[in-house]
């Protein structure tokens, strides 16, 4: 079992930056790949980015968002720059064994989820 806790959300103006953190506990953190997803009001949850052996991003955030991890701190980060109002959503981190080969951009590929943190970008 892996427990995930996100933090760092808040209200920011368009063009601003935020850094989200996701702290994991329960298992060896380095054995897991992490994904970030988000869900805007009235919309389905969507893939944002992934960090495992390699890193992937959704086209909508590529060049603006960066995922990194610190295995010593059991933490994955999502650095969000040049934020837009359409980035407003609840952001979730998710974990799966790093050896798993399922599609990294699908919710079903992840066994563990955090509770989410709200990001609001004002225009």
């Amino acid at each position: 079992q892996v427990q995930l806790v996100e933090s760092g959300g808040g209200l920011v103006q368009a063009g601003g930056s935020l850094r989200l953190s996701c702290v994991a506990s329960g298992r060896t953190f380095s054995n897991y790949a992490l994904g970030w997803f988000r869900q805007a009001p009235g919309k389905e949850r969507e893939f944002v980015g992934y960090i495992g052996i390699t890193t992937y991003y959704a086209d909508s955030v590529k060049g603006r968002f960066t995922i990194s991890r610190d295995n010593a701190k059991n933490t994955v980060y999502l650095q969000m720059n040049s934020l837009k109002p359409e980035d407003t959503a609840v952001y979730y981190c998710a974990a799966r064994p790093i050896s798993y080969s399922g599609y990294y951009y699908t919710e079903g590929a992840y066994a563990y989820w955090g509770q989410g943190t709200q990001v609001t970008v004002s225009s």
Side-chain angles (χ1 to χ4, degrees):
Q1 194 79 344
V2 176
Q3 293 79 43
L4 302 170
V5 179
E6 303 97 334
S7 63
L11 174 64
V12 63
Q13 288 188 333
S17 298
L18 280 176
R19 188 178 78 159
L20 305 184
S21 301
C22 175
V23 179
S25 61
R27 293 289 176 92
T28 304
F29 184 67
S30 59
N31 290 344
Y32 287 82
L34 287 301
W36 283 98
F37 289 76
R38 66 187 181 186
Q39 186 167 21
K43 295 187 177 181
E44 294 186 351
R45 190 151 53 182
E46 65 175 7
F47 170 75
V48 174
Y50 168 90
I51 184 165
I53 303 298
T54 54
T55 306
Y56 300 101
Y57 298 94
D59 288 343
S60 59
V61 307
K62 200 173 294 182
R64 300 188 298 122
F65 290 11
T66 303
I67 298 176
S68 61
R69 65 189 295 168
D70 185 339
N71 288 341
K73 295 183 178 179
N74 287 1
T75 302
V76 61
Y77 303 98
L78 180 66
Q79 177 67 44
M80 305 185 294
N81 298 328
S82 303
L83 282 161
K84 305 174 181 180
E86 51 264 44
D87 294 319
T88 295
V90 177
Y91 283 72
Y92 300 87
C93 68
R96 69 178 198 180
I98 202 165
S99 58
Y100 184 61
S101 59
Y103 296 121
Y104 58 85
Y105 50 83
T106 59
E107 292 183 56
Y110 297 84
Y112 307 104
W113 290 83
Q115 82 291 346
T117 186
Q118 176 71 47
V119 171
T120 303
V121 184
S122 63
S123 57

